[in-house]
Amino acid sequence: MPLVSNNDILTPARAGGYAVGAFNTSNLEITQAIFEAASEKRSPVIVATSQSAIEYAGHARLRGMVETLADEADVTASLHLDHGTDVGDIERCIENGWTSVMIDGSHLSFEENIAITRRVVELARPRGVSVEAELGRLMGIEDEIAVDERDATYTDPDEALDFVERTGCDSLAVAIGTSHGAYKFKAEPRLAIERLSAIAERVSVPLVLHGASAVPPEVLELARRYGADLPGARGVPPASIRDAVRHGVAKVNIDTDLRLAFTGGVRRFLAEEPKVFDPRKILGEARQSMKDVILNKIELVGSSGRS
Ligand code: G3H
Ligand code: 13P
Ligand code: ZN
């Protein structure tokens, strides 16, 4: 099917009380894993590319690959720019056929974030491209921030309402305790669900959860067994994701879990098949591991059968 904007995917999700996975890609095997899993589950899907993925693979190649696989897959899909920070880069994505963009002004002041988000909405809306914005800051355990200071980095519900009204953004990424990467929590994982609920009461656009990877124990264990050195890796438990979806999250961003599955798959294959040197066999194993993760995510967020 032709690519659609995130509005076509996320508006029904928020209304229906389920979420859709946004999976980061930068190569063929990841993209195949995404579309194979989505097709098998008849799930809508968001294919996300970061700015560095675009630098790695190129606009035309990424767009061509995602468009081709979406046409063959027959499920609703979008091509989304993840964490755009530069208006020029965002313009280039729109010119190159991206159907959704994120402007991440979370590092800016409130007013600066509003100003840059409005500029992107003005650019994108006439072309039917949806805009995700971010309010609040995702902090990692490496940020060494005290617990009482951490709250100040979370999204404020009243500010969220003001922000959405003044920017006209189509969806809003919120900071409620997750962070990017494989090291999300030092102690017990905890999301600020009451705060999320207060945001969802005020704001009707779909909410987005970044840093939503679970670092699944079995995926981590496989990678470790075959040599990966990842001490203290810890993600968001599936029950917390379910809770967040129940409280207004309609887009769940996953990158780290695919990276871990890729790594485990390649490591296991190379260790167990020392005579094989066919890249298709090595990467085929990684593709299957990532597909298994995505199948689980689709069930977790409730998007199965929605496309
Ligand atoms: O949220 C960030 C994504 O995981 C993308 O990471 O810039 O290394 O591609 P990346
Ligand atoms: P993870 O690092 O938890 O996979 O988060 C990915 C993400 O938020 C991409 O924008
Ligand atoms: Zn993110």
Side-chain angles (χ1 to χ4, degrees):
M1 272 157 70
L3 294 168
V4 300
S5 84
N6 276 6
N7 288 342
D8 295 323
I9 294 175
L10 297 181
T11 307
R14 171 104 203 235
Y18 63 94
V20 176
F23 302 100
N24 284 73
T25 191
S26 53
N27 74 8
L28 176 66
E29 284 76 15
I30 306 173
T31 315
Q32 287 176 315
I34 294 169
F35 278 104
E36 282 178 21
S39 300
E40 246 175 71
K41 293 280 180 186
R42 300 234 43 90
S43 168
V45 73
I46 294 167
V47 184
T49 59
S50 66
Q51 207 49 62
S52 54
I54 294 171
E55 273 157 35
Y56 175 79
H59 281 108
R61 278 170 244 147
L62 279 175
R63 200 263 331 286
M65 177 175 69
V66 173
E67 226 167 41
T68 305
L69 269 72
D71 278 344
E72 292 169 1
D74 205 29
V75 289
T76 316
S78 68
L79 174 57
H80 175 75
L81 171 67
D82 193 25
H83 294 287
T85 49
D86 179 81
V87 177
D89 287 341
I90 290 175
E91 251 178 318
R92 269 182 290 287
C93 281
I94 295 174
E95 283 159 9
N96 277 284
W98 265 243
T99 57
S100 177
V101 292
M102 174 185 187
I103 169 66
D104 180 355
S106 59
H107 53 291
L108 302 172
S109 71
F110 185 64
E111 290 300 330
E112 285 169 338
N113 192 356
I114 288 184
I116 198 168
T117 302
R118 280 179 66 118
R119 269 180 74 198
V120 172
V121 169
E122 280 159 18
L123 270 176
R125 182 145 301 152
R127 284 135 108 181
V129 171
S130 52
V131 177
E132 173 182 329
E134 178 162 333
L135 186 63
R137 273 178 306 137
L138 267 66
M139 311 295 287
I141 52 172
E142 73 281 4
D143 289 306
E144 293 292 348
I145 185 168
V147 179
D148 50 340
E149 287 172 50
R150 186 165 290 267
D151 257 26
T153 66
Y154 289 175
T155 309
D156 178 86
D158 293 324
E159 280 191 356
L161 174 61
D162 195 24
F163 184 89
V164 170
E165 282 179 351
R166 287 171 63 194
T167 60
C169 65
D170 298 298
S171 60
L172 184 70
V174 293
I176 54 163
T178 60
S179 61
H180 292 110
Y183 304 92
K184 300 187 192 296
F185 303 97
K186 268 190 189 145
E188 273 315 291
R190 210 188 71 81
L191 299 192
I193 293 293
E194 277 173 26
R195 183 180 286 263
L196 172 65
S197 186
I199 298 167
E201 268 171 29
R202 289 166 178 73
V203 168
S204 60
V205 296
L207 302 177
V208 179
L209 190 64
H210 282 251
S213 277
V215 188
E218 68 284 3
V219 174
L220 188 61
E221 175 46 35
L222 182 77
R224 277 186 176 147
R225 196 180 326 139
Y226 291 96
D229 184 17
L230 299 162
R234 195 195 287 239
V236 184
S240 299
I241 298 291
R242 257 183 243 114
D243 222 8
V245 173
R246 264 196 302 273
H247 291 89
V249 163
K251 175 172 176 272
V252 170
N253 283 17
I254 306 289
D255 187 358
T256 295
D257 285 352
L258 302 188
R259 296 180 182 202
L260 290 170
F262 181 99
T263 304
V266 169
R267 281 183 180 279
R268 190 195 69 77
F269 189 83
L270 291 176
E272 290 186 354
E273 307 283 350
K275 291 186 191 307
V276 180
F277 55 92
D278 180 342
R280 293 164 299 188
K281 298 216 163 77
I282 302 166
L283 295 179
E285 183 82 8
R287 181 173 66 193
Q288 186 58 47
S289 305
M290 293 186 288
K291 181 178 166 185
D292 291 343
V293 166
I294 299 167
L295 290 169
N296 282 332
K297 298 292 176 194
I298 290 173
E299 285 304 324
L300 174 67
V301 302
S303 66
S304 183
R306 307 278 187 171
S307 182

